[in-house]
Amino acid sequence: GQQLNQSPQSMFIQEGEDVSMNCTSSSIFNTWLWYKQDPGEGPVLLIALYKAGELTSNGRLTAQFGITRKDSFLNISASIPSDVGIYFCAGSSNDYKLSFGAGTTVTVRA
Amino acid sequence: DAGVIQSPRHEVTEMGQEVTLRCKPISGHDYLFWYRQTMMRGLELLIYFNNNVPIDDSGMPEDRFSAKMPNASFSTLKIQPSEPRDSAVYFCASSLKSGGIQYFGAGTRLSVL
């Protein structure tokens, strides 16, 4: 089962806003991953983090591997309509088995 | 690479019928995973293989579920007999020997009536 606490569960964004979400774990992880899932598709990897304290960017996305190795956050800057979807954090304490958060659903505010 | 390929994309069946879901992992990946996704429980790991050998099937809900990987390029997840509560999206993912990154297929949406 899932060991990760991901928040917020959902959020509404206005185009141009910055978005932030995070994940915490009761266990120490060696790897943190952030995925995005569009409707009718499988999760797609956004960012991978491998070292405590690591800060990594991918375009408008920035993610950090927490110093305690029990948390991670994802920021989206200057959001655009195609940023809507479900974002999942995932952590691994070994090289191959992942635990997933429940997801953060991002919706555009009308 | 074409990525992880799953078939069918959608499956509608009646309770009691056998359902077989198929997956072709990314070539060269040593690990293959089967997940089930529902609104209530999110993404659940059902089983994973390493070099075609099942390593951990503790997530398989019950004996009605079985999975095989006869070779490095093909895996099946079978439900027999199917029940309405099996309705979900089933994902296959694969990964290299190390790194932790799993690449997902587009999923099979199963509806059991």
Side-chain angles (χ1 to χ4, degrees):
Chain A
Q2 295 170 352
Q3 308 166 12
L4 304 185
N5 182 24
Q6 186 172 348
S7 64
Q9 190 174 15
S10 62
M11 60 169 56
F12 291 87
I13 63 171
Q14 204 128 33
E15 189 171 350
E17 281 182 343
D18 294 346
V19 173
S20 184
M21 60 195 78
N22 69 82
C23 256
T24 59
S25 167
S26 56
S27 307
I28 290 175
F29 285 137
N30 296 325
T31 301
W32 280 97
L33 305 173
W34 285 92
Y35 287 87
K36 182 189 179 212
Q37 185 177 18
D38 290 326
E41 300 296 328
V44 174
L45 181 72
L46 299 175
I47 291 181
L49 302 158
Y50 298 106
K51 281 171 48 175
E54 180 181 357
L55 185 72
T56 297
S57 293
N58 177 9
R60 293 177 299 104
L61 307 176
T62 302
Q64 184 157 31
F65 193 139
I67 290 292
T68 65
R69 294 165 63 193
K70 291 185 176 182
D71 64 303
S72 177
F73 72 75
L74 174 71
N75 286 342
I76 307 172
S77 62
S79 56
I80 60 178
S82 61
D83 289 334
V84 301
I86 305 176
Y87 292 78
F88 291 98
C89 62
S92 173
S93 55
N94 53 41
D95 281 341
Y96 38 85
K97 197 170 173 181
L98 293 177
S99 296
F100 282 86
T104 296
T105 300
V106 175
T107 311
V108 174
R109 184 186 295 138
Chain B
D1 199 310
V4 176
I5 299 173
Q6 291 186 248
S7 64
R9 288 297 311 273
H10 303 273
E11 178 80 35
V12 181
T13 191
E14 292 186 344
M15 183 173 64
Q17 296 297 308
E18 177 179 295
V19 174
T20 300
L21 311 181
R22 296 172 176 80
C23 175
K24 181 180 188 305
I26 293 173
S27 176
H29 282 192
D30 293 326
Y31 290 88
L32 183 140
F33 306 81
W34 281 101
Y35 290 88
R36 178 171 66 178
Q37 185 179 42
T38 61
M39 289 291 292
M40 290 298 294
R41 300 174 67 89
L43 269 166
E44 302 174 276
L45 177 65
L46 301 177
I47 185 172
Y48 77 90
F49 295 82
N50 176 211
N51 290 324
N52 313 339
V53 177
I55 303 301
D56 183 351
D57 64 354
S58 59
M60 296 286 259
E62 45 197 279
D63 292 344
R64 297 184 298 106
F65 285 69
S66 63
K68 292 181 181 179
M69 192 165 184
N71 57 62
S73 59
F74 183 65
S75 176
T76 59
L77 178 68
K78 187 175 294 187
I79 309 172
Q80 166 64 19
S82 58
E83 295 182 4
R85 60 194 167 116
D86 301 331
S87 298
V89 182
Y90 291 82
F91 288 104
C92 175
S94 69
S95 70
L96 283 169
K97 191 170 185 177
S98 63
I101 297 175
Q102 294 180 19
Y103 297 87
F104 284 77
T108 295
R109 181 172 294 276
L110 174 65
S111 298
V112 183
L113 306 176

